[in-house]
Amino acid sequence: MSRIGNWLAAPVAAVLVALCLAPLAVLFAYSFFQVDFVTISTDPTLKNYARIAGSATYRALIGHAFLSGAVVVAITALIGYPVAWFIARRGGVRKSALLTLLLVPLYTGDMVRIFAWRVILGAEGVLNRLFLWLGLIDQPLQVLLFSPVASHLVLVYNYLPFMVIGLWLGFEALDERLTEAARDLGAPAREVFRRVTLPLTLPGLIAGGMMVFVLVVGDHLTPQLLGGASGVTVISAINDLFGTAFDWPLGSAIACTLLATLGLCCALAAFALSRTELGRSLAAGEA
Amino acid sequence: MPDRPPLPLLRADALHKAYGSYHAVRGVDFRLMPESYVTLLGPSGCGKTTMLRMIGGFETVSSGRLELDGQSLLDIPAPRRPINTVFQSYALFPHLTVEENVGFGLAYRGRAGLGGDGRGLDRAAMRQKVATALSTVRMEQMAARRPRHLSGGQQQRVALARAIVNEPRILLLDEPLSALDRRMRRDMQIELKDLQRRLGMTFLHVTHDQEEAFALSDHIIVMNAGLIEQQGAPQEIYRRPDSAWVADFIGGSNVVPGRVLALDAGRARIGTAIGEVTAPARRGLAVDEAAALCIRPEQLSREAAAAPGAATVEAAVTHAVFAGSGWQVELRAAGGQPLSARLGEAPAPGETLRLAFDPARAWVTRGAAAGPRA
Amino acid sequence: MFRASALAASWTLLIFAFMYFPVAVILIFSLNDSEIIAFPLQGLTLRWYESVVSDGRLGGGFATTLMVAFPAAILSTFLGALAALALTRYEMKMKLKLVFAILLLLPFLIPKLILAVAQLILLSELGVARNLVTVTLGQVIVILPFTTLVVASVLVRIDRRLEEAAVDLGASAWSVFRRVTLPLMRNGLVAAMFIAFVLSSSEVVLTTFLSGRAQPLSLLVASDFRFAISPALNALAVLIVTGNIALVLVGEAIRRRSERGTG
């Protein structure tokens, strides 16, 4: 049989190579160049990477990005678990309605979402005015906006649906009778979760966690516009180097460093996923 | 009836199908005679569906030969084979009406290939053929409906019409009745058999249901673990199972394991836990070989009613169920050998009965192979 | 058990309320008859919407958005359909399939800003001026994973036996596609196109880097949304959200219908 699939995939792969891989390759090449006054010198050099390795600021920025990612993953996982469990246990129409309702806020657009949160959290915002009106406070709470709390709240808001989708897939693959059996055998609820539910929904947790992590690390609008002084992220640093600072090679080198570390994280997650029972059966089933 | 040509319609020789190291079909030979209703019968995973898919052209053949009218099918792709399939759960196109479903294949009839006449059909001829096919299955009233608005039995009929309208040389049916409820299945069995007779078409029907196979077939091919265990007329397979496995799978029979003690003119003397019996035997048995004695439940009766020359066996009643025309009684004989019998009156639980049977109507066949094969 | 269920139900309700809270807030204050965005509410008005509709600057941006979003939606749906067909319908070597799937996921996983600057470098290396075509192509690549997923979700629900039945009835590979697969996946294509349109029209990161002088609506309003707060902006935000959600819901309804059809 002729492999029609290859012929269908070829144009898509070509577009992906031209518009995604090729730019990344050029980015990678640029990371070895250097700015020479206003021109870019193309003699290959490792100076950019040496600068990153030697700079506490850049290391801290990358560290911060990963910490933010981890924190948001943890929070979304915690608040997402009961939601995913609840959705997975609904039947037919209700389930698909809940899933649609969950995903719809993703399509409101980055700017609109950030604007809405500014309206809610700002010094002149809805919450502060409400609290003032109610007499709970006598001065606007500044911590509500332009703080790490604000930016992480909105990051959680932005990416929670991805975590719930991942966990929901995990719960769909979990046979409800297994938890019932565990309960029947006398395990208290906490033990049922720790010894049955958690290990069996782990693939969903890993998949959802990976998505949320990567998306949080890559999001610069939310911290920049809602995080105030804490809004400087590794991504916004790259943005500045390509914009105002006009040091494309250094920006490229930081981007490549970040991509490499992210890639490593994804590879680890994918490896962990393949080690779980479900991952194995998926790999076998899709063959 | 026209004279049957001596040549088989379909011939499979040493047909083999392997998926990597797994051998689904392990060298199978059979013939399909024209105008016959043939059933491929076996438990799930025995290779019967793989056989059907090889004939339909949906699976490649690993080795062996497959010929239609003496011409190899192996190089003919599925769309060009003059063979059509009634798929399990029907596979009716949900976006087309009943009429459009049935007419689907007629558009491709002009193509060169086995059975194709090289000419396309004009619209009027197509409509006529679709109408005829729909009336054949009594679905002409439903022509404009979509499949999801039909009942299971109606969908089944449309699937049949969609296949027979192309006048295939062979109609393949893949577990066609499995999605229907019990009563519907009975009715459809009668309709299928009737349709096959009227059309004079060759039907090859895959099923795991013994009753269905007996009800429909002129010829049954019993498969197990990728091999043919036995093939022949239904009565033949019922009365003279070729192995203990067939006897057990066909069901209904008491299969008592034993050892051949002596052979004489188509009869064997077999030693079993319930005694030594001399009965008609399968050919090819050897003395001292493992064998099995098959006694059908209706042949067992209370000793008082036994004819002279009958063999007897003593067994304790473990269970008795009222089964309409009599009692289905489960017993345990010497050596723990389970037996079933059909008796006129209810025995007391735990009662030990002396049962008799006519050895001339029992059957000695090959014993169970070493290790389970299913 | 009942208690756990009730707890999960209330928690889910709470989380869904959280997810819709921002939308609800801007909706309420876009209708509030006051310059100040605060409780207590002052009464109902539509004047904020009137001011948005009469803003000529936005009209031009909207036209530019359409000029980008239509081609982006069509192209990304077409490519997504090819990819989904290759992944779910037709034969491909397992290893090749895996590489292809990872390649498809890359634009989703790579931070958009990094992808944008990489494309910017490439464009400047090639000496290509930034214009609506470069925005469209840039957007297509980040939308592609979503359209592929939507089309694939419809394709995996089409019973393979339907295609086998068509082959059995004599149809060639092309006829099977045209008469069976395509009609059954059509709703998935429409749904993918709606979602692609929404994603394209609200994309800002790539659009900022790749658009030239002609600025689509998303960029025109981005600076307002960043720094200003006003009831008129609330109204604009509500209009955008409503448009997007309506398109997504219509697309989703169409996709669902195809599920029932093949069930």
Side-chain angles (χ1 to χ4, degrees):
Chain A
M1 273 223 174
S2 66
R3 293 184 182 266
I4 301 175
N6 293 350
W7 291 104
L8 290 169
V12 185
V15 169
L16 283 163
V17 167
L19 298 178
C20 185
L21 286 192
L24 291 177
V26 177
L27 183 86
F28 186 60
Y30 256 73
S31 70
F32 298 103
F33 297 167
Q34 222 183 344
V35 175
D36 200 3
F37 291 113
V38 286
T39 58
I40 285 169
S41 142
T42 56
D43 292 330
T45 168
L46 284 172
K47 276 185 186 158
N48 293 316
Y49 288 103
R51 248 177 95 183
I52 298 167
S55 154
T57 316
Y58 291 135
R59 285 202 314 263
L61 281 179
I62 293 181
H64 269 138
F66 281 51
L67 185 65
S68 274
V71 167
V72 176
V73 167
I75 297 174
T76 52
L78 273 175
I79 64 179
Y81 247 109
V83 179
W85 180 71
F86 182 77
I87 294 177
R89 288 181 39 126
R90 294 311 100 185
V93 185
R94 280 174 159 203
K95 182 185 300 189
S96 42
L98 282 173
L99 285 171
T100 307
L101 274 179
L102 179 76
L103 293 179
V104 158
L106 288 178
Y107 294 101
T108 50
D110 296 332
M111 293 317 299
V112 171
R113 260 198 309 256
I114 287 171
F115 169 75
W117 281 108
R118 284 180 52 238
V119 168
I120 294 167
L121 300 175
E124 304 275 279
V126 173
L127 281 187
N128 268 324
R129 300 240 188 178
L130 182 68
F131 292 159
L132 283 171
W133 181 54
L134 293 173
L136 294 175
I137 51 175
D138 44 17
Q139 268 185 358
L141 289 174
Q142 295 300 333
V143 71
L144 283 182
L145 193 59
F146 303 130
S147 69
V149 176
S151 67
H152 283 82
L153 172 75
V154 178
L155 285 171
V156 166
Y157 174 84
N158 283 351
Y159 303 115
L160 178 64
F162 291 96
M163 175 60 87
V164 175
I165 287 293
L167 291 174
W168 167 69
L169 287 172
F171 273 113
E172 284 294 316
L174 168 74
D175 189 342
E176 190 64 26
R177 282 171 300 185
L178 293 175
T179 51
E180 276 166 16
R183 228 177 294 123
D184 181 69
L185 295 169
R190 183 181 302 189
E191 284 295 288
V192 172
F193 182 81
R194 196 178 64 78
R195 293 183 58 191
V196 181
T197 312
L198 187 61
L200 289 173
T201 53
L202 197 58
L205 179 63
I206 295 173
M210 189 171 89
M211 275 193 287
V212 172
F213 184 77
V214 168
L215 291 169
V216 169
V217 170
D219 186 341
H220 71 293
L221 287 176
T222 306
Q224 193 187 349
L225 297 176
L226 300 173
S230 73
V232 179
T233 62
V234 62
I235 299 280
S236 69
I238 297 170
N239 189 14
D240 291 344
L241 286 167
F242 274 84
T244 46
F246 207 75
D247 190 342
W248 288 15
L250 181 60
S252 302
I254 299 173
C256 289
T257 310
L258 184 66
L259 283 184
T261 5
L262 270 182
L264 194 68
C265 290
C266 284
L268 282 174
F271 177 71
L273 195 61
S274 72
R275 293 297 299 267
T276 61
E277 210 51 53
L278 181 78
R280 262 182 246 148
S281 64
L282 274 183
E286 276 174 11
Chain B
M1 255 209 172
D3 286 344
R4 288 202 165 173
L7 278 173
L9 181 61
L10 185 86
R11 245 181 101 132
D13 288 315
L15 211 54
H16 196 108
K17 176 68 190 179
Y19 302 95
S21 61
Y22 174 69
H23 297 260
V25 173
R26 306 186 295 166
V28 155
D29 304 271
F30 68 87
R31 312 274 178 272
L32 286 192
M33 297 315 284
E35 296 178 30
S36 59
Y37 201 122
V38 181
T39 306
L40 270 172
L41 174 66
S44 62
C46 73
K48 58 190 193 302
T49 297
T50 307
M51 286 281 319
L52 203 73
R53 291 175 63 81
M54 284 195 281
I55 297 169
F58 300 110
E59 296 283 356
T60 54
V61 171
S62 299
S63 68
R65 299 198 311 175
L66 190 61
E67 290 176 355
L68 184 76
D69 288 326
Q71 219 179 322
S72 175
L73 276 178
L74 297 186
D75 299 326
I76 302 174
R80 303 260 170 115
R81 295 189 187 187
I83 294 171
N84 289 115
T85 310
V86 174
F87 287 82
Q88 193 172 8
S89 64
Y90 324 131
L92 295 177
F93 304 120
H95 59 302
L96 302 180
T97 63
V98 165
E99 202 168 19
E100 288 165 337
N101 262 284
V102 176
F104 192 97
L106 292 176
Y108 306 105
R109 286 252 306 191
R111 302 217 168 153
L114 283 183
D117 53 10
R119 286 178 291 119
L121 286 165
D122 62 48
R123 279 200 112 69
M126 263 161 76
R127 289 192 78 90
Q128 185 54 48
K129 273 185 180 293
V130 169
T132 312
L134 281 176
S135 74
T136 308
V137 296
R138 302 198 324 268
M139 286 291 291
E140 57 273 51
Q141 306 296 325
M142 306 283 179
R145 297 222 189 159
R146 294 280 164 114
R148 66 168 169 273
H149 297 128
L150 301 178
S151 71
Q154 290 169 333
Q155 292 187 20
Q156 165 77 81
R157 291 207 186 92
V158 176
L160 269 170
R162 184 176 71 175
I164 62 173
V165 73
N166 304 294
E167 294 161 30
R169 302 298 313 278
I170 303 173
L171 182 70
L172 306 177
L173 301 110
D174 186 8
E175 303 260 5
L177 306 179
S178 60
L180 301 177
D181 64 42
R182 205 182 151 77
R183 231 197 68 188
M184 204 58 212
R185 216 178 308 167
R186 280 277 158 77
D187 295 346
M188 276 313 293
Q189 281 177 8
I190 295 167
E191 279 193 46
L192 274 178
K193 182 73 192 171
D194 184 53
L195 190 67
Q196 185 263 334
R197 281 210 194 98
R198 270 190 291 151
L199 296 171
M201 207 178 266
T202 302
F203 280 28
L204 181 60
H205 179 130
V206 158
T207 183
H208 62 270
D209 182 335
Q210 307 83 343
E211 277 182 47
E212 194 171 299
F214 285 130
L216 290 166
S217 317
D218 304 315
H219 190 83
I220 296 178
I221 300 171
V222 186
M223 283 190 74
N224 176 32
L227 288 170
I228 293 181
E229 281 278 341
Q230 183 175 9
Q231 50 180 317
Q235 302 85 336
E236 171 91 5
I237 286 172
Y238 185 67
R239 297 213 183 106
R240 291 187 280 277
D242 221 12
S243 64
W245 187 87
V246 174
D248 192 48
F249 180 70
I250 294 304
S253 220
N254 292 299
V255 181
V256 186
R259 195 160 287 278
V260 178
L261 302 175
L263 288 163
D264 168 42
R267 286 145 68 89
R269 183 153 190 84
I270 181 171
T272 71
I274 60 169
E276 291 182 10
V277 178
T278 304
R282 171 193 192 278
R283 256 181 257 174
L285 291 176
V287 172
D288 210 32
E289 194 185 14
L293 175 68
C294 309
I295 313 158
R296 288 198 304 283
E298 65 270 22
Q299 291 169 352
L300 286 167
S301 58
R302 299 252 198 176
E303 200 202 0
T312 58
V313 53
E314 224 168 67
V317 175
T318 57
H319 199 73
V321 183
F322 181 60
S325 58
W327 288 78
Q328 178 71 29
V329 184
E330 306 300 328
L331 310 102
R332 200 159 288 273
Q337 174 64 41
L339 289 174
S340 344
R342 218 163 221 284
L343 303 178
E345 54 212 85
E351 184 186 352
T352 298
L353 301 178
R354 277 184 75 84
L355 297 172
F357 63 95
D358 180 2
R361 297 178 63 197
W363 177 251
V364 178
T365 191
R366 262 187 309 158
R373 286 219 281 157
Chain C
M1 210 40 237
F2 174 74
R3 264 195 53 219
S5 241
L7 270 177
S10 348
W11 181 254
T12 303
L13 192 68
L14 198 69
I15 294 299
F16 274 70
F18 170 59
M19 294 309 293
Y20 284 87
F21 178 59
V23 178
V25 167
I26 56 168
L27 176 65
I28 290 169
F29 287 102
S30 73
L31 294 167
N32 185 30
D33 193 5
S34 165
E35 288 283 349
I36 301 162
I37 302 173
F39 289 104
L41 299 172
Q42 303 295 328
L44 208 61
T45 181
L46 284 176
R47 65 178 155 131
W48 309 123
Y49 288 92
E50 276 164 36
S51 76
V52 170
V53 174
S54 58
D55 188 342
R57 189 180 57 117
L58 298 177
F62 189 61
T64 310
T65 291
L66 293 186
M67 280 166 69
V68 172
F70 270 117
I74 290 166
L75 192 56
S76 58
T77 302
F78 174 70
L79 292 172
L82 289 185
L85 282 167
L87 287 173
T88 64
R89 241 39 207 174
Y90 295 99
E91 276 179 70
M92 239 177 123
K93 266 206 193 92
M94 201 51 207
K95 271 216 182 96
L96 218 56
K97 204 176 249 194
L98 191 68
V99 170
F100 183 56
I102 291 173
L103 195 58
L104 270 169
L105 268 180
L106 270 188
F108 172 70
L109 294 178
I110 289 179
K112 269 194 208 163
L113 186 118
I114 292 183
L115 190 60
V117 297
Q119 289 175 334
L120 183 71
I121 300 179
L122 185 64
L123 287 181
S124 82
E125 280 293 306
L126 295 173
V128 177
R130 290 175 287 168
N131 54 32
L132 292 187
V133 177
T134 54
V135 190
T136 309
L137 290 178
Q139 289 187 350
V140 162
I141 220 66
V142 293
I143 298 170
L144 185 56
F146 292 89
T147 52
T148 305
L149 192 70
V150 172
V151 178
S153 76
V154 170
L155 280 176
V156 294
R157 288 190 162 85
I158 301 177
D159 189 345
R160 260 165 208 284
R161 270 176 301 212
L162 293 173
E163 282 147 342
E164 282 187 359
V167 169
D168 184 78
L169 295 167
S172 63
W174 170 245
S175 299
V176 173
F177 176 72
R178 198 177 53 80
R179 291 192 63 194
V180 179
T181 318
L182 184 60
L184 292 174
M185 71 188 279
R186 188 164 287 151
N187 288 334
L189 296 178
V190 176
M193 218 176 294
F194 277 66
I195 282 171
F197 187 93
V198 168
L199 290 174
S200 161
S201 62
S202 51
E203 212 295 320
V204 278
V205 179
L206 279 158
T207 314
T208 309
F209 278 86
L210 298 177
S211 69
R213 210 163 298 140
Q215 297 222 317
L217 191 62
S218 56
L219 291 193
L220 285 181
V221 300
S223 58
D224 285 349
F225 279 147
R226 269 168 199 243
F227 304 114
I229 286 184
S230 79
L233 279 179
N234 275 337
L236 179 59
V238 169
L239 287 177
I240 293 172
V241 167
T242 314
N244 286 357
I245 291 181
L247 284 176
V248 169
L249 287 181
V250 168
E252 186 64 8
I254 292 170
R255 193 178 67 87
R256 286 276 155 70
R257 210 175 61 193
S258 79
E259 277 173 25
R260 269 210 312 278
T262 56

